[in-house]
Amino acid sequence: MRPSLIPMPREIEYTGGKSILRADAPVTVTYAPELPEEAYELKIEDGKVTVSASSEAGEFYARRTLEQIIRTCGEECDDLVIRDAPVLSYRGFLVDSCRHFYGAEELKRLIDTAARFKLNKFHWHLTDDQGWRIEIKRYPLLTEVGSVRAGSRFGGVDEGGPYGGFFTQEQIKEIVAYCAARQIEVVPEIEMPGHFTAALSAYPFLGCTGKQIEPMQREGVFPNVLCVGNEDAVAFVKNVLDEVCGLLPGKYIHIGGDEAPRTRWCRCEKCAARMRRQGIRNYDALQGSFIKEISAFLKERGKTAITWNESLKGGVLSPDDVLVQRWMDRKKLCPAFTRAGGKLIEADFYHYYFDYPYGMTPLKKAFDYDPYSKSGADGVFGVEGALWTEFVRTFDDLCEKLFPRLLAVAERGWSGFPTRDYYDFRAAAIVLLPLLKENGIPTLSPFRWDPRSRRREIADFFKGSLSPGSIREMMESRK
Ligand code: ACM
Ligand code: ZN
């Protein structure tokens, strides 16, 4: 029998024989220094399994492929040789721990499942308007005050309250180690200068007005941003990042940079003074100069900053400063950035935002999306599927939204585009569902992966999820 595999390997050669393989079939691993970092060769012949790889990562991926082979062929498998390597070295998934909070045990289930499909970056969204979720020892109020909101009213639905939670540094280390054992690097996101209400609730001096505010209880884009003209406030976020750099050993730190209204900056003396000092003419450039300063600070610590595409607006950032994560702006600044040699992480809102219903982003739409089409393989550094949690009120819902759509991202990141017909991929996803179940990941019935009545699902989602005011606000903020 021939296996069903996700992601599709680069090369499979069937060599004619058949092997009986049990789940615990012994594997002989040989070191092959000539192979690239994540590449591997897997051979099944005469009931024996051999793996060649130059690194633990390659061996890990060979074992993931073998796991799928055994799972989908039963015990009788056509002999084969697979020679495989990824197209992209950044294959990510984002989980928003701020709007709704799921703990370490639940995250581990997601991480385990992502690893089975060779994803290798866990983008962990840890701070936002509705909660600060990472312990920072130097500034304990960030979690003592900023991790608890009085209630939750996403989409106008009263979920009661108070609502809170955060990860201690010990728990963060535990997740980092759990990921590392599965070849996954954690990419923490510490949002700035926008989506900053929770930080301001703990330390009001960080804002332009200094007024006391509380963590937000609903979805949206809020004016409570960092005062980038206040040197003490900028020093504060650098101190936070310093601690984050020490805690998370990975190369990348995401610093947000999306959806930061200018309302407060427009009326702030300190922000105006920074603009005068630096000869900055507009607020987009003010944000650009701030992101540039923070990215330089991270570079000194051996890290690379990632920022959402909005930060390109000021025309300040160069390809040497940052990696850009693109969720919008397919036509203008992002393509210009890649033409200048910049690199993007593709997380297209219309295809890779999995918090929206299948009616809006069916599995086929996610799978058929070519993330390389605008920027070419040279401009695309990574791909990522995103799971924001404003309207994800249970962990089961989170799982059903993320999987199997995240497998489409896994295939694009590992195997490139195009790979195969959608219906081949879908059939493989169905055959591999037991692997998800084993990790405690519920999924919707495959009949619901590509709903016929997309309009109804979309209407139901917007009716049940968004308060009328916030629909307009959201659409405007996503322009
Ligand atoms: C985003 O969805 N605001 C990055
Ligand atoms: Zn200010």
Side-chain angles (χ1 to χ4, degrees):
M1 214 174 143
R2 295 190 169 186
S4 298
L5 302 172
I6 298 176
M8 184 71 138
R10 198 168 276 203
E11 194 186 320
I12 309 183
E13 185 190 333
Y14 291 99
T15 50
K18 289 204 186 301
S19 285
I20 307 288
L21 285 185
R22 285 201 322 276
D24 57 354
V27 179
T28 307
V29 181
T30 58
Y31 178 58
E34 72 284 3
L35 288 179
E37 167 74 11
E38 296 184 299
Y40 67 90
E41 192 177 298
L42 171 69
K43 193 184 280 184
I44 298 177
E45 198 171 41
D46 300 331
K48 294 197 187 71
V49 183
T50 9
V51 166
S52 311
S54 67
S55 70
E56 276 180 25
E59 180 188 341
F60 181 81
Y61 294 131
R63 288 183 184 276
R64 300 290 69 75
T65 300
L66 180 62
E67 181 175 79
Q68 295 189 4
I69 291 173
I70 291 173
R71 180 60 61 142
T72 61
C73 293
E75 294 203 342
E76 194 193 78
C77 168
D78 286 8
D79 283 349
L80 53 74
V81 181
I82 292 180
R83 294 178 198 88
D84 201 8
V87 172
L88 298 177
S89 62
Y90 188 115
R91 307 177 298 278
F93 62 107
L94 178 159
V95 178
D96 166 14
S97 287
C98 301
R99 278 56 177 257
H100 284 92
F101 178 84
Y102 301 101
E105 290 319 304
E106 282 123 334
L107 290 184
K108 285 180 183 173
R109 277 149 67 184
L110 300 177
I111 291 160
D112 256 338
T113 312
R116 285 186 188 252
F117 297 92
K118 304 188 177 78
L119 290 161
N120 70 348
K121 299 284 183 278
F122 169 34
H123 175 173
W124 198 357
H125 187 77
L126 283 162
T127 70
D128 215 302
D129 298 299
Q130 299 83 356
W132 184 282
R133 307 274 178 235
I134 173 173
E135 178 188 26
I136 301 295
K137 301 243 192 233
R138 186 167 177 157
Y139 301 117
L141 298 184
L142 284 171
T143 44
E144 276 171 35
V145 174
S147 75
V148 184
R149 57 179 183 253
S152 298
R153 298 184 164 276
F154 295 98
V157 176
D158 186 356
E159 294 169 44
Y163 185 99
F166 68 91
F167 296 97
T168 63
Q169 295 205 348
E170 281 315 301
Q171 287 170 323
I172 301 254
K173 283 185 202 154
E174 186 189 320
I175 291 288
V176 166
Y178 196 82
C179 283
R182 288 156 185 77
Q183 299 302 323
I184 292 178
E185 179 180 337
V186 178
V187 180
E189 182 175 354
I190 309 296
E191 265 267 27
M192 59 190 76
H195 288 285
F196 209 61
T197 308
L200 299 195
S201 74
Y203 295 95
F205 85 92
L206 296 170
C208 294
T209 66
K211 279 208 187 104
Q212 179 70 58
I213 43 173
E214 298 206 342
M216 303 312 294
Q217 300 181 34
R218 63 172 180 89
E219 75 282 4
V221 174
F222 304 100
N224 317 313
V225 304
L226 175 75
C227 177
V228 295
N230 178 345
E231 284 173 15
D232 292 340
V234 174
F236 179 105
V237 296
K238 286 181 179 171
N239 289 336
V240 168
L241 289 172
D242 215 20
E243 226 177 273
V244 170
C245 287
L247 184 62
L248 289 123
K251 184 165 169 19
Y252 306 104
I253 306 242
H254 204 304
I255 51 173
D258 61 319
E259 298 180 324
R262 316 312 193 191
T263 338
R264 300 281 186 264
W265 291 352
C266 293
R267 299 198 192 102
C268 174
E269 251 322 299
K270 289 185 177 137
C271 287
R274 176 174 179 148
M275 291 173 79
R276 277 196 302 275
R277 242 182 0 258
Q278 299 186 339
I280 293 170
R281 295 234 170 89
N282 61 57
Y283 295 106
D284 288 338
L286 180 59
Q287 171 160 333
S289 85
F290 166 71
I291 295 287
K292 194 174 176 86
E293 179 180 346
I294 297 296
S295 67
F297 174 83
L298 290 173
K299 200 183 262 184
E300 281 166 20
R301 279 150 189 77
K303 307 282 187 180
T304 299
I306 305 177
T307 181
W308 294 104
N309 58 260
E310 283 97 318
S311 292
L312 289 176
K313 278 188 194 160
V316 174
L317 296 171
S318 80
D320 288 339
D321 296 321
V322 285
L323 279 172
V324 168
Q325 181 156 22
R326 194 195 72 72
W327 68 293
M328 282 286 171
D329 180 32
R330 206 159 137 70
K331 300 222 173 106
K332 276 194 190 152
L333 299 175
C334 286
F337 185 65
T338 57
R339 278 197 301 277
K343 301 278 185 203
L344 299 181
I345 296 162
E346 274 280 332
D348 188 72
F349 170 77
Y350 299 100
H351 299 88
Y352 288 174
Y353 265 38
F354 300 141
D355 42 323
Y356 291 93
Y358 281 73
M360 200 154 138
T361 311
L363 180 61
K364 184 171 189 309
K365 184 174 170 189
F367 180 81
D368 284 341
Y369 178 62
D370 175 2
Y372 305 92
S373 62
K374 275 278 171 223
S375 310
D378 285 350
V380 178
F381 180 73
V383 287
E384 193 170 289
L387 204 288
W388 301 99
T389 55
E390 286 95 330
F391 310 113
V392 176
R393 298 181 177 95
T394 65
F395 186 66
D396 280 5
D397 187 34
L398 189 154
C399 295
E400 288 170 356
K401 286 192 156 130
L402 195 52
F403 296 104
R405 289 186 289 193
L406 187 61
L407 308 194
V409 178
E411 174 128 330
R412 291 293 160 244
W414 183 277
S415 323
F417 185 94
T419 49
R420 55 177 143 182
D421 173 74
Y422 167 65
Y423 295 97
D424 267 6
F425 168 81
R426 183 178 184 277
I430 291 173
V431 175
L432 292 168
L433 281 179
L435 286 181
L436 278 68
K437 208 170 195 178
E438 223 168 69
N439 288 152
I441 303 290
T443 49
L444 293 179
S445 149
F447 293 112
R448 297 182 57 194
W449 295 351
D450 297 289
R452 287 237 177 104
S453 163
R454 288 181 58 190
R455 268 166 190 270
R456 204 174 64 217
E457 257 199 30
I458 294 169
D460 286 350
F461 173 76
F462 281 106
K463 208 162 59 207
S465 300
L466 296 180
S467 45
S470 74
I471 294 180
R472 198 170 354 99
E473 189 181 74
M474 190 184 88
M475 286 310 175
E476 275 165 16
S477 76
R478 295 210 188 277
K479 267 181 200 155

